[in-house]
DNA sequence: AACGATCCCTGTTGGC
DNA sequence: TGCCAACAGGGATCGT
């Protein structure tokens, strides 16, 4: 599922391909992906040039330049199975909901589960649309968010997944971060000591960067793919996620899978306390 | 404020 | 073998 490293990988690929190109057509097969509506998206975006694409947490925000500086923004969330595909020979199947025709290039938005959303945001409210989202996990410089996290009573795994505290981690990388920091996913935030908080802070960036370096983690039949159709190559390098029943490479114990707050958690009882 | 429950979807899987 | 219920998952929303 696309988390921060996957969203960043997709964003970089799309930016490289599309920045500076004008959107000349919008082919909509299922309008439900658009908020507030496909018509609004068409009215706001057609004829405009994509002049910026950035990521915050798991959101991509595409900026389309307007004639008089009145930019339009498209906030993209892939949720579980959203993909952008841009191979020239890509044949759209029934899960391709929208095709963006840019000058000289077409990009398809495909989403089997149909949870993904493309939200049109008018210029002045673009930052407000992200008000409920915490600081980005990869670029946040202060540890303020960690102080907030420490005040929570819920299992720390759930706190790491709470995008309002800090944004970007999903189920896979949250498990990986906890393993690297040697902290059990069941520990309440308030029980973490300073040394453990420091370990957590130190674990987040390397875990995310390792995933990013390999183009993300592609897992299963509905896996995330890069726009050129390639799979991410990080799967084989995961320490715990999906490795239940296998041996921890750090301590040799058997990795277990437990359910925490209705989410599967993979962790090592041998070295995560 | 912060928690749990529910809903959105559909391909895959497991039980009978 | 076939059918169907359960499941997975992020996050919005609602009720407590």
């Amino acid at each position: 599922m696309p988390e921060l490293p996957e969203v960043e990988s997709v964003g970089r690929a799309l930016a490289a391909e599309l920045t500076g190109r004008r959107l000349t057509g919008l082919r909509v097969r299922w309008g439900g992906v658009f908020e507030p509506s496909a018509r609004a998206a068409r009215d706001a975006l057609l004829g405009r040039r994509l002049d910026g694409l950035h990521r915050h947490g798991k959101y991509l925000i595409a900026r389309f330049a307007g004639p008089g500086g009145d930019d339009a923004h498209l906030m993209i969330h892939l949720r579980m199975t959203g993909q952008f595909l841009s191979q020239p020979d890509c044949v759209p199947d029934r899960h391709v909901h929208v095709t963006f025709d840019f000058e000289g290039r077409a990009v398809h938005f495909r989403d089997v589960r149909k949870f993904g959303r493309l939200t049109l945001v008018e210029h002045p409210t673009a930052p407000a649309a992200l008000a409920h989202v915490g600081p980005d996990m990869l670029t946040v410089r202060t540890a303020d968010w960690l102080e907030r996290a420490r005040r929570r009573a819920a299992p720390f795994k759930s706190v790491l997944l709470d995008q309002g505290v800090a944004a970007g981690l999903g189920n896979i990388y949250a498990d990986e971060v906890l393993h690297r920091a040697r902290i059990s996913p069941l520990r309440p935030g308030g029980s973490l000591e300073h040394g453990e908080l420091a370990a957590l802070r130190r674990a987040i960036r390397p875990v995310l960067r390792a995933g990013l370096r390999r183009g993300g983690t592609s897992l299963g039949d509905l896996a995330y793919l890069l726009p050129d159709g390639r799979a991410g190559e990080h799967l084989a390098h995961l320490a715990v996620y999906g490795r239940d029943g296998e041996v921890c490479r750090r301590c040799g114990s058997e990795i277990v899978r437990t359910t925490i707050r209705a989410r599967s958690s993979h962790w090592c009882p041998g070295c995560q306390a």
Side-chain angles (χ1 to χ4, degrees):
Chain A
M1 313 299 127
E3 306 178 23
L4 188 151
E6 290 75 31
V7 175
E8 177 72 19
S9 299
V10 170
R12 286 181 186 180
L14 290 179
E17 275 194 72
L18 303 174
T19 301
R21 292 180 192 264
R22 224 165 52 88
L23 185 71
T24 56
L26 200 55
R27 285 178 273 165
V28 181
R29 294 172 193 80
W30 179 59
V33 282
F34 283 108
E35 291 175 330
S37 68
R39 166 179 285 269
R42 201 185 297 276
D43 290 348
L45 304 179
L46 273 183
R48 285 191 165 162
R49 203 165 35 81
L50 180 74
D51 77 337
L53 188 61
H54 84 274
R55 182 193 58 74
H56 185 103
K58 300 175 196 171
Y59 285 93
L60 284 175
I61 297 103
R63 188 176 70 247
F64 288 82
D70 54 332
D71 297 346
H73 300 255
L74 193 64
M75 270 183 37
I76 299 158
H77 202 302
L78 304 174
R79 293 287 182 96
M80 296 180 58
T81 57
Q83 306 170 321
F84 281 99
L85 298 173
S86 63
Q87 311 101 298
D89 58 346
C90 174
V91 180
D93 64 10
R94 68 195 202 87
H95 301 299
V96 170
H97 308 309
V98 183
T99 299
F100 295 83
D101 291 308
F102 285 88
E103 287 169 323
R105 201 149 316 200
V107 178
H108 308 285
F109 178 73
R110 181 173 187 268
D111 187 5
V112 172
R113 291 279 190 273
K114 297 168 91 169
F115 284 1
R117 287 297 176 265
L118 309 174
T119 304
L120 186 72
V121 184
E122 296 305 330
H123 175 53
T125 58
L130 287 170
H132 65 289
V133 182
D136 182 75
M137 275 288 187
L138 194 58
T139 55
V140 62
R141 291 190 180 281
T142 70
D144 292 352
W145 71 271
L146 208 48
E147 276 306 310
R148 275 186 69 190
R150 209 169 63 87
R151 288 196 290 268
R152 302 281 293 268
F156 209 76
K157 167 69 181 289
S158 313
V159 181
L160 285 180
L161 292 178
D162 187 336
Q163 304 296 298
V165 175
L169 292 185
N171 213 29
I172 295 175
Y173 293 99
D175 282 356
E176 296 294 303
V177 164
L178 286 166
H179 179 263
R180 186 177 173 104
R182 301 175 185 260
I183 293 168
S184 158
L186 294 164
R187 290 279 297 282
S191 75
L192 296 181
E193 293 165 20
H194 283 296
E196 293 175 314
L197 289 173
L200 255 172
R201 208 170 53 231
R202 282 197 305 270
I204 288 170
R205 288 219 212 179
V207 164
L208 291 175
R209 288 198 188 284
L212 183 56
R213 199 164 55 236
R214 300 193 177 93
T217 304
S218 295
L219 175 61
D221 291 338
L222 300 179
Y224 131 93
L225 296 174
L226 290 156
D228 63 7
R230 280 185 305 133
E233 294 172 350
H234 190 55
L235 180 64
H237 300 270
L238 296 177
V240 283
Y241 190 89
R243 298 193 68 237
D244 44 304
E246 297 177 42
V247 163
C248 173
R249 297 188 191 105
R250 188 165 60 197
C251 78
S253 304
E254 187 176 317
I255 292 162
V256 299
R257 172 181 155 147
T258 55
T259 299
I260 300 173
R261 295 284 211 272
R263 290 282 181 266
S264 68
S265 286
H266 310 70
W267 57 291
C268 174
C271 56
Q272 291 177 256

